[in-house]
Amino acid sequence: MTEPLDASDAQPVLPRARLAYDAHTWKEIAYLLSNFPLALLGFIYAVTALALGAGLTVTVVGLPLIAAALMGARLIGRVERGRARALLGVRIDEPSPLPTRPGDGFFGRLWNALKDPVGWRAMLYAVMRLPWGILTFVVTLVGLFVLWPVLPFVVRGLSNADRAMARALLSPSDELERRIEELESDRGVVVDTAAADLRRIERDLHDGAQARLVNLAMGLGLAKEKLLEGQVDDTVAAMVDEAHGEVKLALQELRDLARGIHPAVLTDRGLDAALSSVASRCTVPVKVTADLPARPAEAIEGIAYFTVSELLQNVSKHSGARSASVEVWRSGERLLIQVKDDGQGGASLDKGTGMAGLAERLGAVDGLFVVDSPEGEGTTVTAELPWRDRTPQQP
């Protein structure tokens, strides 16, 4: 019977062998070898275009030539970003196109091209790449024959330098470019949301109050004909009574529609009273707590109101909760909203409960929308909006 091995006698488990020259390394080698020919072409283009444009600035074609050269440099940057993406695996976002406005004219577009930071950085990249391209080409080519055992490590170091250079000079204009892209996306969301709200209002008017007012007009018309004929009986009284009922229903639907656009209680008494009014219509008891030192701007107040209103509708329809709570407070320059319920949970942005639309609407004004809804443990929705002070009302 053999003695069991002590833990100290156990042999260490070696990692699985891996090829030093894998596909990733060969891609990096291909990138470094292609640096020299492409850098040479880019250097010739940049130096020739800038020298020719600078020399001709005393004529009318100098500045347009430099502007055209900068637009061509943008194409060089696009090619280099594609090469880095394919061979180095580094993802660099494409910059925004040059801004153009209908009233700019020729000189406005020329000035936009001349001050384009993306074009100038791409031009700088093309100029400074030639010595680096020569170095990487020579080191990699010689290393394939002389430095074979350590070449993968050399290639990795040179490739990391290329990655850093491409990110530094070929990326969009940092925060400004990213912010422009976000604002363009948010503008589309706002336009789509406004169009959807207009269609909803038109549909509600057509199917609700308008239809009732048509029935009212017809009923009053028939009653008028009978009165002109001298028929004053219970039929005419019933028609007038029915018309009176239609008027009350039409008024109620118009009030509901106005509440959906902008409720009067929100305008007159603020967010606390408006949210209490919404909570009173919920099918479960709702506790409302609003701790606001002042009223925010009308737009922010309206978004906060409709966010809570939509969330409480979800509580009524989908949560199966016994109680809920709404808290609203200010923290620094943010307006925070938290809606909780003790229902069945499982809510998310992709289940068709309108939360995705709320998230888009808040995102369009630099807000945040977070849903925490584990199965069987209720739902907590936290929303943030930027705080903006209310401007004084004009007389």
Side-chain angles (χ1 to χ4, degrees), residues 124-149:
L124 175 62
Y125 183 85
V127 171
M128 64 182 296
R129 288 287 291 178
L130 182 59
W132 176 254
I134 295 173
L135 174 65
T136 57
F137 178 82
V138 172
V139 170
T140 306
L141 187 61
V142 173
L144 285 172
F145 300 97
V146 179
L147 303 174
W148 185 260

Short mmCIF file of all heavy atoms in Angstrom, two decimals, residues 124-149:
data_model
loop_
_atom_site.label_atom_id
_atom_site.label_comp_id
_atom_site.label_asym_id
_atom_site.label_seq_id
_atom_site.Cartn_x
_atom_site.Cartn_y
_atom_site.Cartn_z
N LEU A 124 -0.71 65.93 -39.47
CA LEU A 124 0.43 65.73 -38.58
C LEU A 124 0.79 64.26 -38.48
O LEU A 124 1.98 63.89 -38.48
CB LEU A 124 0.10 66.31 -37.20
CG LEU A 124 1.15 66.09 -36.10
CD1 LEU A 124 2.46 66.78 -36.47
CD2 LEU A 124 0.62 66.60 -34.76
N TYR A 125 -0.20 63.42 -38.41
CA TYR A 125 0.04 61.97 -38.35
C TYR A 125 0.79 61.49 -39.59
O TYR A 125 1.74 60.71 -39.51
CB TYR A 125 -1.31 61.26 -38.24
CG TYR A 125 -1.24 59.76 -38.09
CD1 TYR A 125 -1.06 59.17 -36.85
CD2 TYR A 125 -1.36 58.93 -39.20
CE1 TYR A 125 -1.00 57.80 -36.71
CE2 TYR A 125 -1.31 57.55 -39.07
CZ TYR A 125 -1.13 56.99 -37.82
OH TYR A 125 -1.06 55.64 -37.69
N ALA A 126 0.37 62.00 -40.77
CA ALA A 126 1.03 61.59 -42.01
C ALA A 126 2.48 62.05 -42.06
O ALA A 126 3.35 61.34 -42.58
CB ALA A 126 0.25 62.14 -43.21
N VAL A 127 2.78 63.24 -41.52
CA VAL A 127 4.15 63.77 -41.58
C VAL A 127 5.07 63.01 -40.62
O VAL A 127 6.18 62.60 -40.98
CB VAL A 127 4.15 65.27 -41.26
CG1 VAL A 127 5.57 65.80 -41.09
CG2 VAL A 127 3.43 66.04 -42.37
N MET A 128 4.62 62.82 -39.38
CA MET A 128 5.51 62.24 -38.38
C MET A 128 5.61 60.72 -38.49
O MET A 128 6.45 60.10 -37.83
CB MET A 128 5.02 62.60 -36.97
CG MET A 128 3.67 62.05 -36.60
SD MET A 128 3.14 62.57 -34.94
CE MET A 128 4.36 61.80 -33.91
N ARG A 129 4.82 60.09 -39.34
CA ARG A 129 4.86 58.64 -39.46
C ARG A 129 6.06 58.14 -40.25
O ARG A 129 6.42 56.96 -40.12
CB ARG A 129 3.58 58.15 -40.14
CG ARG A 129 2.35 58.24 -39.28
CD ARG A 129 2.33 57.20 -38.20
NE ARG A 129 2.15 55.87 -38.74
CZ ARG A 129 2.14 54.76 -38.01
NH1 ARG A 129 2.36 54.85 -36.71
NH2 ARG A 129 1.97 53.58 -38.55
N LEU A 130 6.66 58.98 -41.10
CA LEU A 130 7.73 58.47 -41.97
C LEU A 130 8.92 57.94 -41.17
O LEU A 130 9.33 56.78 -41.37
CB LEU A 130 8.18 59.54 -42.96
CG LEU A 130 9.27 59.09 -43.93
CD1 LEU A 130 8.80 57.89 -44.74
CD2 LEU A 130 9.68 60.23 -44.84
N PRO A 131 9.53 58.69 -40.25
CA PRO A 131 10.65 58.12 -39.49
C PRO A 131 10.24 56.91 -38.66
O PRO A 131 11.00 55.93 -38.55
CB PRO A 131 11.13 59.27 -38.62
CG PRO A 131 10.01 60.25 -38.60
CD PRO A 131 9.30 60.10 -39.90
N TRP A 132 9.04 56.97 -38.09
CA TRP A 132 8.56 55.81 -37.31
C TRP A 132 8.32 54.61 -38.22
O TRP A 132 8.63 53.47 -37.86
CB TRP A 132 7.30 56.19 -36.55
CG TRP A 132 6.69 55.03 -35.81
CD1 TRP A 132 5.57 54.33 -36.13
CD2 TRP A 132 7.19 54.43 -34.61
NE1 TRP A 132 5.33 53.34 -35.22
CE2 TRP A 132 6.31 53.38 -34.27
CE3 TRP A 132 8.30 54.68 -33.80
CZ2 TRP A 132 6.50 52.57 -33.15
CZ3 TRP A 132 8.49 53.88 -32.68
CH2 TRP A 132 7.60 52.84 -32.36
N GLY A 133 7.77 54.85 -39.40
CA GLY A 133 7.53 53.75 -40.34
C GLY A 133 8.83 53.10 -40.78
O GLY A 133 8.90 51.86 -40.93
N ILE A 134 9.87 53.92 -41.01
CA ILE A 134 11.17 53.35 -41.39
C ILE A 134 11.73 52.48 -40.25
O ILE A 134 12.22 51.36 -40.47
CB ILE A 134 12.15 54.48 -41.74
CG1 ILE A 134 11.68 55.23 -42.99
CG2 ILE A 134 13.56 53.93 -41.96
CD1 ILE A 134 12.50 56.46 -43.32
N LEU A 135 11.64 53.00 -39.01
CA LEU A 135 12.15 52.26 -37.86
C LEU A 135 11.44 50.92 -37.69
O LEU A 135 12.08 49.87 -37.55
CB LEU A 135 12.00 53.12 -36.60
CG LEU A 135 12.37 52.44 -35.28
CD1 LEU A 135 13.86 52.10 -35.24
CD2 LEU A 135 11.99 53.32 -34.09
N THR A 136 10.10 50.94 -37.69
CA THR A 136 9.36 49.70 -37.47
C THR A 136 9.57 48.71 -38.62
O THR A 136 9.66 47.50 -38.40
CB THR A 136 7.86 49.99 -37.31
OG1 THR A 136 7.38 50.69 -38.48
CG2 THR A 136 7.60 50.84 -36.08
N PHE A 137 9.69 49.21 -39.85
CA PHE A 137 9.91 48.33 -40.99
C PHE A 137 11.26 47.63 -40.87
O PHE A 137 11.37 46.40 -41.04
CB PHE A 137 9.83 49.13 -42.29
CG PHE A 137 10.10 48.33 -43.52
CD1 PHE A 137 9.09 47.58 -44.10
CD2 PHE A 137 11.37 48.32 -44.10
CE1 PHE A 137 9.34 46.83 -45.25
CE2 PHE A 137 11.62 47.58 -45.24
CZ PHE A 137 10.61 46.83 -45.82
N VAL A 138 12.31 48.41 -40.55
CA VAL A 138 13.66 47.83 -40.46
C VAL A 138 13.75 46.85 -39.30
O VAL A 138 14.26 45.72 -39.45
CB VAL A 138 14.71 48.95 -40.33
CG1 VAL A 138 16.09 48.36 -40.05
CG2 VAL A 138 14.75 49.79 -41.59
N VAL A 139 13.25 47.24 -38.13
CA VAL A 139 13.35 46.37 -36.95
C VAL A 139 12.59 45.07 -37.18
O VAL A 139 13.09 43.97 -36.87
CB VAL A 139 12.84 47.11 -35.70
CG1 VAL A 139 12.71 46.14 -34.52
CG2 VAL A 139 13.76 48.26 -35.34
N THR A 140 11.39 45.15 -37.73
CA THR A 140 10.59 43.95 -37.94
C THR A 140 11.20 43.05 -39.00
O THR A 140 11.26 41.82 -38.84
CB THR A 140 9.15 44.35 -38.34
OG1 THR A 140 8.62 45.25 -37.38
CG2 THR A 140 8.26 43.12 -38.42
N LEU A 141 11.67 43.66 -40.10
CA LEU A 141 12.24 42.85 -41.18
C LEU A 141 13.53 42.16 -40.72
O LEU A 141 13.72 40.96 -40.98
CB LEU A 141 12.52 43.74 -42.39
CG LEU A 141 12.97 43.02 -43.67
CD1 LEU A 141 11.90 42.05 -44.13
CD2 LEU A 141 13.30 44.02 -44.76
N VAL A 142 14.39 42.88 -40.04
CA VAL A 142 15.61 42.26 -39.52
C VAL A 142 15.29 41.23 -38.45
O VAL A 142 15.91 40.16 -38.39
CB VAL A 142 16.56 43.35 -38.98
CG1 VAL A 142 17.77 42.73 -38.28
CG2 VAL A 142 17.02 44.27 -40.09
N GLY A 143 14.29 41.55 -37.62
CA GLY A 143 13.94 40.62 -36.56
C GLY A 143 13.42 39.29 -37.07
O GLY A 143 13.58 38.25 -36.40
N LEU A 144 12.80 39.29 -38.25
CA LEU A 144 12.32 38.02 -38.81
C LEU A 144 13.47 37.06 -39.09
O LEU A 144 13.25 35.83 -39.14
CB LEU A 144 11.54 38.30 -40.10
CG LEU A 144 10.13 38.88 -39.93
CD1 LEU A 144 9.54 39.28 -41.28
CD2 LEU A 144 9.22 37.87 -39.25
N PHE A 145 14.68 37.57 -39.26
CA PHE A 145 15.81 36.71 -39.55
C PHE A 145 16.79 36.60 -38.38
O PHE A 145 17.46 35.58 -38.23
CB PHE A 145 16.58 37.26 -40.78
CG PHE A 145 15.74 37.33 -42.02
CD1 PHE A 145 15.13 38.51 -42.39
CD2 PHE A 145 15.55 36.19 -42.80
CE1 PHE A 145 14.35 38.58 -43.54
CE2 PHE A 145 14.78 36.26 -43.95
CZ PHE A 145 14.17 37.45 -44.32
N VAL A 146 16.89 37.64 -37.55
CA VAL A 146 17.92 37.67 -36.50
C VAL A 146 17.33 37.50 -35.11
O VAL A 146 17.90 36.82 -34.25
CB VAL A 146 18.72 38.99 -36.58
CG1 VAL A 146 19.78 39.05 -35.48
CG2 VAL A 146 19.36 39.14 -37.95
N LEU A 147 16.15 38.13 -34.87
CA LEU A 147 15.57 38.14 -33.52
C LEU A 147 14.37 37.21 -33.41
O LEU A 147 13.39 37.51 -32.72
CB LEU A 147 15.14 39.58 -33.16
CG LEU A 147 16.25 40.64 -33.21
CD1 LEU A 147 15.66 42.02 -32.97
CD2 LEU A 147 17.34 40.34 -32.20
N TRP A 148 14.43 36.10 -34.11
CA TRP A 148 13.27 35.21 -34.17
C TRP A 148 12.73 34.81 -32.79
O TRP A 148 11.51 34.86 -32.57
CB TRP A 148 13.65 33.98 -34.98
CG TRP A 148 12.51 33.04 -35.23
CD1 TRP A 148 12.22 31.90 -34.55
CD2 TRP A 148 11.49 33.18 -36.22
NE1 TRP A 148 11.09 31.31 -35.06
CE2 TRP A 148 10.62 32.08 -36.09
CE3 TRP A 148 11.24 34.13 -37.21
CZ2 TRP A 148 9.52 31.90 -36.92
CZ3 TRP A 148 10.15 33.94 -38.02
CH2 TRP A 148 9.30 32.85 -37.88
N PRO A 149 13.54 34.45 -31.80
CA PRO A 149 12.97 34.00 -30.51
C PRO A 149 12.24 35.12 -29.74
O PRO A 149 11.27 34.86 -29.04
CB PRO A 149 14.19 33.49 -29.74
CG PRO A 149 15.21 33.22 -30.78
CD PRO A 149 15.00 34.25 -31.83
#
